Amino acid sequence: MVPDNKSRIFYPRDYRHLNKPKPRSLLFLGIFVLPTLCLFLFFYPTITISLSSWGAAILRATTKTVVSIESVRFIPGLGEASFISIEGTTPSFTHSLVNAIISVFFILLSTQINRNNRPLMIYLSMGLFVHLVSSLFFLVIPDLFPYTIQDYSRLYILQQIGTWMTITVISGLATNLVLPTGGYKYAAFIVTVLFSFIFGCVRYVIYLYLLYRFTVLYMAALYFIFGVLYDFLGMIAIYAIFVRGASYRMSSNAGKGEWQW
């Protein structure tokens, strides 16, 4: 067999690196990242009251029930966070029993899946186990269930404020380190923050509607399994697209000059 001859041999990447961020790259952190962080930090009372008013109007129209807005102290000296208060229902014995049986069935089924899908099956098993515990709780001692939709709504809002601030800082620092200059990092940062904010607002109203319509049995699953994890999955997806674009840029003739050896 004749070995393949390469027409071009690239330099090895063992000692290739980028320069440290220059002082001008701090402008991005000061002009975009820090103001966005301050927006969520100092104006969360205004943000949450606007979100709660918008969500309450939608829930009143869709559920035809009483929906009010309450507030809770969050960061001392910066104001209170507002959240939606709506009455919920507990599941019947039959409803809880059916959910418990379905959870056990799919937990056992997930153990038989081939190894290629094992990480996904582990994640699904964790979620089903949480749901199974909730179902068993309502089967045994339903009157002692300690949480209401109001508790979920309050925890969601407080968690979401922290999530928005955390994603702002992580996304800003990560994009600035990968690509200190250029408009790609500005676009990636803005898209990440907007996605997190819009997704968090829309999900809030949808989850409250689902809990009202299908009982508080699903509260734990929505909070622990379908909660903040998906905010960070969105951030990672956008960051992956950004890194791929930055990689193509640095592979071009113009971008190769940014590498140091």
Side-chain angles (χ1 to χ4, degrees), residues 9-251:
I9 300 177
F10 294 98
Y11 290 110
R13 294 177 291 180
D14 301 55
Y15 303 100
R16 186 173 65 173
H17 64 89
L18 294 171
N19 279 325
K20 295 181 179 180
K22 298 179 181 179
R24 65 177 182 178
S25 66
L26 297 177
L27 291 176
F28 168 71
L29 300 178
I31 295 176
F32 280 84
V33 180
L34 184 59
T36 304
L37 178 62
C38 292
L39 177 67
F40 289 126
L41 178 62
F42 295 107
F43 293 93
Y44 72 80
T46 303
I47 295 173
T48 55
I49 188 61
S50 300
L51 171 58
S52 298
S53 300
W54 171 71
I58 295 176
L59 291 173
R60 291 191 191 102
T62 54
T63 63
K64 308 299 181 183
T65 189
V66 177
V67 181
S68 59
I69 298 176
E70 300 182 10
S71 59
V72 61
R73 186 180 182 184
F74 185 37
I75 301 178
L78 297 182
E80 297 183 333
S82 302
F83 62 94
I84 296 173
S85 176
I86 184 173
E87 293 296 328
T89 56
T90 56
S92 64
F93 181 87
T94 303
H95 189 92
S96 301
L97 179 61
V98 171
N99 277 266
I101 294 174
I102 293 175
S103 297
V104 171
F105 173 77
F106 280 104
I107 288 175
L108 296 176
L109 181 64
S110 64
T111 61
Q112 307 302 317
I113 303 299
N114 60 60
R115 293 184 178 181
N116 293 333
N117 297 318
R118 187 58 58 84
L120 176 60
M121 293 302 103
I122 293 175
Y123 174 75
L124 293 178
S125 296
M126 292 171 56
L128 290 168
F129 181 77
V130 170
H131 189 61
L132 174 62
V133 172
S134 298
S135 301
L136 294 176
F137 196 102
F138 281 106
L139 285 175
V140 180
I141 45 177
D143 295 334
L144 297 181
F145 191 72
Y147 301 107
T148 63
I149 295 184
Q150 287 84 347
D151 296 320
Y152 173 84
S153 179
R154 182 183 72 253
L155 290 173
Y156 183 99
I157 285 295
L158 298 183
Q159 174 185 268
Q160 201 62 48
I161 297 171
T163 300
W164 286 333
M165 291 190 291
T166 302
I167 287 180
T168 297
V169 174
I170 294 176
S171 177
L173 292 176
T175 53
N176 195 48
L177 289 174
V178 172
L179 199 62
T181 60
Y184 290 103
K185 66 177 181 180
Y186 293 92
F189 174 75
I190 293 173
V191 171
T192 301
V193 173
L194 286 178
F195 171 82
S196 176
F197 181 74
I198 296 173
F199 180 72
C201 293
V202 174
R203 182 181 57 186
Y204 180 48
V205 180
I206 293 176
Y207 280 11
L208 289 182
Y209 175 82
L210 292 176
L211 291 176
Y212 171 82
R213 187 63 63 188
F214 299 105
T215 78
V216 295
L217 172 63
Y218 304 93
M219 183 185 302
L222 292 180
Y223 186 82
F224 291 107
I225 307 303
F226 300 102
V228 67
L229 172 65
Y230 285 84
D231 292 271
F232 287 95
L233 284 178
M235 181 190 70
I236 293 172
I238 297 172
Y239 183 72
I241 296 173
F242 161 73
V243 170
R244 184 177 181 182
S247 177
Y248 284 139
R249 178 178 181 272
M250 292 179 182
S251 298

